[in-house]
Amino acid sequence: DEQFESPSKPKFPILLPHRLRVTTEASCRPVKYTTQMIADGVEDEEKWLAAGIAGLQQNAFYMHRALDTNNLRDALKFSAQMLSELRTSKLSPHKYYELYMRAFDELRKLEIFFKEETRRGCSIVELYELVQHAGNILPRLYLLCTVGSVYIRSKEAPAKDVLKDLVEMCRGIQHPVRGLFLRSYLSQISRDKLPDIGSEYEGDADTVVDAVEFVLQNFTEMNKLWVRMQHQGPAREKQRREKERNELRDLVGKNLHVLSQVEGIDLDMYRDTVLPRVLEQIVNCKDEIAQFYLMDCIIQVFPDEYHLQTLEVLLGACPQLQPSVDIKTVLSRLMERLSNYAASSSEVLPEFLQVEAFSRLNNAIGKVIEAQPDMPIFGAVTLYSSLLTFTLHVHPDRLDYADQVLGSCFKKLQSVGKVEDNKATKQIVALLSAPLEKYNDIVTALKLSNYPCVMEYLDTETSKIMATVIIQSIMKNSTRISSADKVEALFELMKGLMKDSEGTAEEVDEDDFKEEQNSVARLIQMLINDDPEEMFKIMCVVRKQIMTGGPKRLPYTIPPFVFSSLKLVRQLQGQDENPFGDEATTPKTIFQLLNQTIEVLLTIPAPELALRLYLQCAEAANDTDLEPVAYDFFTQAYILYEEEISDSKAQVTALHLIIGTLQRMHVFGVENRDTLTHKATGVMSLYSEI
Amino acid sequence: MVLVLAIGDLHIPHRAADLPPKFKSMLVPGKIQHIICTGNLCIKEVHDYLKSLCPDLHITRGEYDEDARYPETKTLTIGQFKLGICHGHQVIPWGDLDSLAMLQRQLDVDILVTGHTHQFKAYKHEGGVVINPGSATGAYSSFTYDVNPSFVLMDIDGLRVVVYVYELIDGEVKVDKIDFKKTANPR
């Protein structure tokens, strides 16, 4: 039976060396493989790839014919030849992959053929041995893995034995790119055949432990190959090597992904076996690229619950990594995942407390920042920002924790000075916005003593942006700020908006300025307390603050102040007893204050606005039966009308307002009323139609 | 069925921070065909917001409005009705029905919409209707101590207009409606 060849004789011809097969005129020249050619770049690579594909397809064609005619011998011969294309050193990982994928597809057909062969009576054990007679090791190993797949499926041997054999045989390839793809192939075909819990390949001897062992070994070997690439070749090509390494990283990471999918790995096995072995490899390989990628991989593929329970071990590995590893990104991502985990369900929160997550992370971050004094401020703030988000989700009631994080960040900022870097500033805004979003209440955020300290470090522009964020939060949540202390604290944060910063006058876009001041005006509406005493204190704080705003801001800030004060007057009217006792605040006091405040508008000048506000005060004084006060306000209004308002349209409106208000005044005695009316008619007679 | 929103005297940001959330959730774009605004918005942001609810926006000038270009009065025709708008501070005594009726005759309109007093009113008066939608934010008014946020929605259908008034009282939106029928013009 010609299908059964004697295993002692190597059956395959010496494979032809890889030949450059080109169809252009250049093929006439003798071809020599020199490093110069390799360095000559992409164009040649395209040619080599094209040649490789052509060779592969040609042999595949003959292989198909052999499969169709059940010719095992030829099938093995041509598949080995086909696989020889993968022996090339000429292709970058990106291009090698294209070749690999085609080979992979062809090998699937071959695998089906092998399976059918065994049904036709061919012994799988003999087939397993037969393929080892391929002349070159790489094709040999690809064929071996392919047969191995059928072998495992046949269950004639325990899965673990075949897997162990394959993973060790692959050591024969020590070239990084070829080795990585070969082991990747092994990983791909073995994936559904691991002796996992509940799998058909599980047996008495075969357990998930063996599955884990297999994957860990493949992973370890793959990482070693991957790291070796870093040191191959001249120093000047380092950048290109690193780029190529990055193209290959998912091949290594895939093993971790496979582990994460193994059903039989529970927390104990993860903690006792998987994680320590993986971390061991990561730490020992001493390679920056591998360490960063694989730490991140662990964090992304394994469940958050596992990370919590192994937090100490995971964080403990960080100081052991190469100093150049971007550990802050790794930690930030870990914290982000844990934050989301905490946010997903309140049931997991006790776990966080149990493993002391906050203090461990806090310490780890502190250590990292201390160990890397040259870390750019952007990085440090990102870390604190992630930690703060974490804290807010996991310990929402622990304001002291949140304050602690802000405090540490503040200390770091102090050591650096004013922040110039745009990215860093954005991160500080994110840091400060997080408590606002979580608490939905600026009042709570104001309890964080370090909050204003951190805000100090924003430049003027960003300080204004942050102030606007705060105002938006207040508006969105309809938060009321109801004590003078809190208002003062709030204004401290708002000062970028409420007055010019010391030093240079700023160039502000007019529309932006308007928007800002209008939002400050809206904010003033939210500063309320139903208790008149407290409300008066608040009004005093507001007045003090807006008076420092300068002429450009006053037209925006004085009106809301005036109307809030008039509301307070009504509140006082509603009380039976003056809550302030015999002395101090009465409506009269407030009117005095208002008079002084509105007066300031004349210096800007804003006479029309002042006139309206005087008339409003007059009406309010009317309602509190304060005749001289009302008269005084009216006089002021008249003066403005006669002396300051010149535009005719404005005059008409002003007159309407004066007369309309006057018509409603009941507080005036005959004399006062006559005087005021006389003045009004005098002016009115100048107009023929009103 | 033509829906006309009558709204005004919001006084944002001088006397109020924003529309009440319950009103905001009711006023969605695409439902209203015309907006009549009595004035005193006061700022551009409010104008833009109203415009986003309905592009056919008619505003008259209130004495606190930032934009001085709004007209003192405006008239427009919707279906069979002629409507007139005026803020109302120009009509003295403020809120006096007879004086408003005079303005209505002057403008020659069936429905006069004015504001300024922050008090909702809807009268039938000598063959015409006078409506005051009140203050949509319940802003402070020297006119009255008791201001509830309110606005008006008019449903104009042929010769009939149904006036719905929405008032926010103690945190709840209460709706009332008044029917007016116009006699066909003999002219």
Side-chain angles (χ1 to χ4, degrees), chain A residues 525-543:
Chain A
Q525 307 291 345
M526 311 303 285
L527 311 175
I528 335 178
N529 194 319
D530 289 329
D531 171 31
E533 213 176 314
E534 194 59 41
M535 187 61 190
F536 182 68
K537 285 195 199 134
I538 293 177
M539 284 292 102
C540 291
V541 173
V542 172
R543 181 168 187 274

Side-chain angles (χ1 to χ4, degrees), chain A residues 169-450:
Chain A
M169 294 278 254
C170 285
R171 282 203 194 164
I173 304 295
Q174 288 297 318
H175 181 271
V177 175
R178 296 199 287 268
L180 280 169
F181 275 97
L182 174 65
R183 285 190 179 273
S184 185
Y185 181 69
L186 174 59
S187 174
Q188 276 176 293
I189 55 117
S190 64
R191 226 184 135 156
D192 57 340
K193 302 174 185 77
L194 298 176
D196 191 3
I197 281 183
S199 120
E200 53 179 310
Y201 301 105
E202 190 187 16
D204 296 319
D206 266 340
T207 63
V208 68
V209 176
D210 304 300
V212 170
E213 190 52 46
F214 165 72
V215 179
L216 281 175
Q217 218 184 327
N218 205 24
F219 162 72
T220 307
E221 294 304 316
M222 284 178 82
N223 194 38
K224 285 187 192 158
L225 290 170
W226 190 40
V227 170
R228 184 176 307 152
M229 274 180 81
Q230 187 68 19
H231 311 286
Q232 279 182 323
R236 62 186 149 83
E237 287 182 7
K238 181 168 159 211
Q239 217 179 8
R240 192 186 72 154
R241 273 205 302 281
E242 290 188 349
K243 176 171 171 283
E244 291 186 354
R245 281 196 65 195
N246 270 317
E247 287 172 6
L248 290 166
R249 65 188 194 180
D250 287 339
L251 295 183
V252 182
K254 197 72 189 296
N255 292 293
L256 297 181
H257 191 67
V258 169
L259 283 172
S260 75
Q261 306 276 303
V262 173
E263 300 265 349
I265 296 180
D266 60 1
L267 175 59
D268 288 326
M269 188 178 291
Y270 174 78
R271 182 180 41 214
D272 300 333
T273 311
V274 176
L275 185 63
R277 285 276 293 276
V278 173
L279 283 178
E280 191 187 344
Q281 174 56 214
I282 291 176
V283 170
N284 289 347
C285 77
K286 295 198 186 347
D287 176 74
E288 181 198 324
I289 292 179
Q291 288 182 338
F292 178 73
Y293 173 70
L294 291 172
M295 286 299 284
D296 196 43
C297 239
I298 293 178
I299 292 168
Q300 300 303 332
V301 308
F302 290 108
D304 300 315
E305 198 207 322
Y306 285 12
H307 297 319
L308 256 192
Q309 296 295 335
T310 56
L311 200 54
E312 200 176 351
V313 175
L314 205 54
L315 294 176
C318 293
Q320 299 178 54
L321 303 177
Q322 301 298 104
S324 49
V325 171
D326 183 12
I327 195 64
K328 68 178 185 320
T329 307
V330 173
L331 286 175
S332 291
R333 289 202 213 176
L334 175 62
M335 284 187 284
E336 212 184 295
R337 278 198 73 103
L338 292 176
S339 293
N340 290 337
Y341 182 49
S344 68
S345 142
S346 54
E347 284 165 15
V348 306
L349 292 181
E351 229 186 296
F352 281 83
L353 293 166
Q354 184 219 358
V355 304
E356 292 174 29
F358 172 73
S359 63
R360 287 194 201 282
L361 285 167
N362 198 17
N363 285 338
I365 288 172
K367 281 209 195 90
V368 167
I369 292 185
E370 222 179 307
Q372 299 184 16
D374 294 329
M375 188 194 293
I377 190 65
F378 161 67
V381 179
T382 309
L383 271 173
Y384 285 121
S385 189
S386 305
L387 182 59
L388 185 61
T389 311
F390 172 84
T391 315
L392 290 169
H393 279 127
V394 176
H395 303 287
D397 49 332
R398 295 298 297 261
L399 292 176
D400 57 330
Y401 280 175
D403 208 14
Q404 212 182 329
V405 177
L406 287 174
S408 307
C409 186
F410 170 55
K411 267 205 209 83
K412 180 71 186 170
L413 286 170
Q414 264 185 319
S415 68
V416 170
K418 206 84 177 177
V419 177
E420 304 287 321
D421 174 25
N422 239 344
K423 281 202 303 183
T425 330
K426 282 211 180 90
Q427 268 304 321
I428 299 180
V429 172
L431 178 76
L432 292 171
S433 301
L436 284 181
E437 278 155 30
K438 177 65 186 175
Y439 299 135
N440 271 335
D441 180 8
I442 183 64
V443 177
T444 314
L446 286 174
K447 291 192 191 144
L448 302 169
S449 64
N450 288 306

Side-chain angles (χ1 to χ4, degrees), chain A residues 475 514-515 518 521-522 525 559-560 563 566-567 570 573 612 616 619 623 649 653 656 660-661 663-664, chain B residues 12-17 43 45 61 63-64 66 68 72 89-90 92-94 140-145:
Chain A
M475 301 308 303
K514 256 196 210 167
E515 236 182 275
N518 280 326
R522 285 195 216 215
Q525 307 291 345
F563 286 107
L566 290 178
K567 281 190 209 155
R570 283 191 178 170
Q573 278 185 284
R612 284 151 177 72
Q616 289 285 341
E619 257 194 285
D623 294 335
K649 197 164 158 216
T653 310
H656 278 141
T661 313
Q663 190 267 332
R664 295 173 51 72
Chain B
I12 295 171
H14 297 153
R15 308 187 198 183
I43 52 178
E45 274 110 318
R61 194 174 76 90
E63 77 275 31
Y64 284 92
E66 179 184 67
E72 298 287 318
H89 65 268
Q90 306 94 328
I92 299 164
W94 293 335
Y140 173 95
S141 165
S142 54
F143 217 81
T144 166
Y145 278 44

Side-chain angles (χ1 to χ4, degrees), chain A residues 111 115 118 124-125 128 144-166 186 189-195 199-202 206 214:
Chain A
E111 182 176 344
K115 185 144 197 290
T118 60
I124 189 66
V125 180
Y128 193 75
L144 196 64
C145 289
T146 313
V147 175
S149 174
V150 182
Y151 199 166
I152 297 174
R153 275 231 219 108
S154 74
K155 302 205 179 117
E156 286 193 33
K160 82 165 192 256
D161 290 347
V162 181
L163 292 173
K164 192 159 159 58
D165 198 37
L166 292 173
L186 174 59
I189 55 117
S190 64
R191 226 184 135 156
D192 57 340
K193 302 174 185 77
L194 298 176
S199 120
E200 53 179 310
Y201 301 105
E202 190 187 16
D206 266 340
F214 165 72

